[in-house]
Amino acid sequence: MSRIIVFGGHGRIALLLAPLLVARGDEVTSVIRNPDHVEEVEQTGARALVADVETLDTAALSDIIRGHDAVVWSAGAGGGSAERTYAVDRDAAIRTMDAAGEADVARYVMVSWIGSKADHGVPEDDGFFAYADAKWAADEHLRGTALEGTILGPGTLTFDAPTGRIVLDPEGHGEVSRADVAAVIAEVVGNPSTIGRTIRFGNGQADAALPIADALHA
């Protein structure tokens, strides 16, 4: 059994992730901003913790993280203003990494996106630039810490049914179901072979896809 804290606990991926973790005996704390979401989050088997990561400082975040075995960052501003995107997807994410270090919680899984690279190619006048820039900065910060980090780069997210199979480094922005992303997180968080890796993945073509555990060990 592990104690796992998930930031962005009311997100679509996190709501699919929590039941997977709970079903195998893990204790899950799902951090959410809106108290109206407590009931829905707790229906997954997780414990809902209402906290605004956008405003909490590193010390307060460390208090929240302390006592857990792993951190999953699956939060995001969800579009909107560039200012808030940087505040959540970059700055708040970085504070949780620093807080995890202060709380002696080494394992940290970052849910990023498949195109998160220095040369992501998104022009500055594109509305998507702030997200791409913020995610890259957060990913790079994680790489520079002493945390046992894994960066996940799923392709374009869909609402398709889970397949249980993925392809690593698919061509383009290979589509992947949110349910399969949740399953990848669940597999990765307790898999030490993924520490220090950036894993870009999609569902790919059925004949090329491997079961998630096999793909991650390949």
Side-chain angles (χ1 to χ4, degrees):
M1 181 186 72
S2 293
R3 292 164 295 179
I4 301 169
I5 184 167
V6 180
F7 288 93
H10 188 252
R12 293 186 178 100
I13 290 173
L15 288 172
L16 295 169
L17 170 63
L20 299 179
L21 298 175
V22 171
R24 71 185 189 194
D26 294 335
E27 292 182 5
V28 180
T29 302
S30 291
V31 181
I32 58 176
R33 183 171 60 90
N34 189 340
D36 292 341
H37 296 154
V38 167
E39 183 177 357
E40 183 179 2
V41 167
E42 293 194 337
Q43 286 175 354
T44 69
R47 177 179 74 92
L49 175 61
V50 179
D52 187 354
V53 297
E54 190 175 351
T55 60
L56 291 181
D57 62 15
T58 302
L61 289 166
S62 181
D63 288 340
I64 289 173
I65 293 170
R66 187 171 290 108
H68 291 88
D69 300 305
V71 176
V72 174
W73 178 268
S74 187
S81 73
E83 180 181 9
R84 186 159 188 270
T85 296
Y86 281 113
V88 177
D89 293 84
R90 182 190 64 191
D91 300 340
I94 287 172
R95 286 198 301 276
T96 63
M97 297 172 207
D98 296 342
E102 290 186 7
D104 293 323
V105 179
R107 189 68 176 111
Y108 192 106
V109 178
M110 163 63 73
V111 182
S112 187
W113 69 295
I114 197 169
S116 183
K117 304 174 183 178
D119 57 347
H120 53 67
V122 181
E124 289 191 31
D125 61 355
D126 189 305
F128 192 67
F129 177 82
Y131 177 82
D133 193 45
K135 292 301 286 185
W136 171 248
D139 293 350
E140 279 291 273
H141 187 85
L142 179 56
R143 293 185 182 101
T145 70
L147 297 174
E148 297 173 354
T150 302
I151 298 169
L152 298 179
T156 304
L157 301 175
T158 73
F159 289 104
D160 293 343
T163 66
R165 304 171 70 88
I166 58 171
V167 171
L168 300 188
D169 299 313
E171 294 184 8
H173 289 184
E175 293 186 344
V176 61
S177 75
R178 288 171 170 83
D180 282 324
V181 176
V184 168
I185 299 168
E187 175 65 28
V188 160
V189 72
N191 183 341
S193 74
T194 65
I195 292 171
R197 293 171 58 189
T198 297
I199 302 169
R200 307 180 197 279
F201 64 96
N203 283 137
Q205 298 296 322
D207 58 352
L210 294 174
I212 289 170
D214 292 346
L216 293 173
H217 281 92

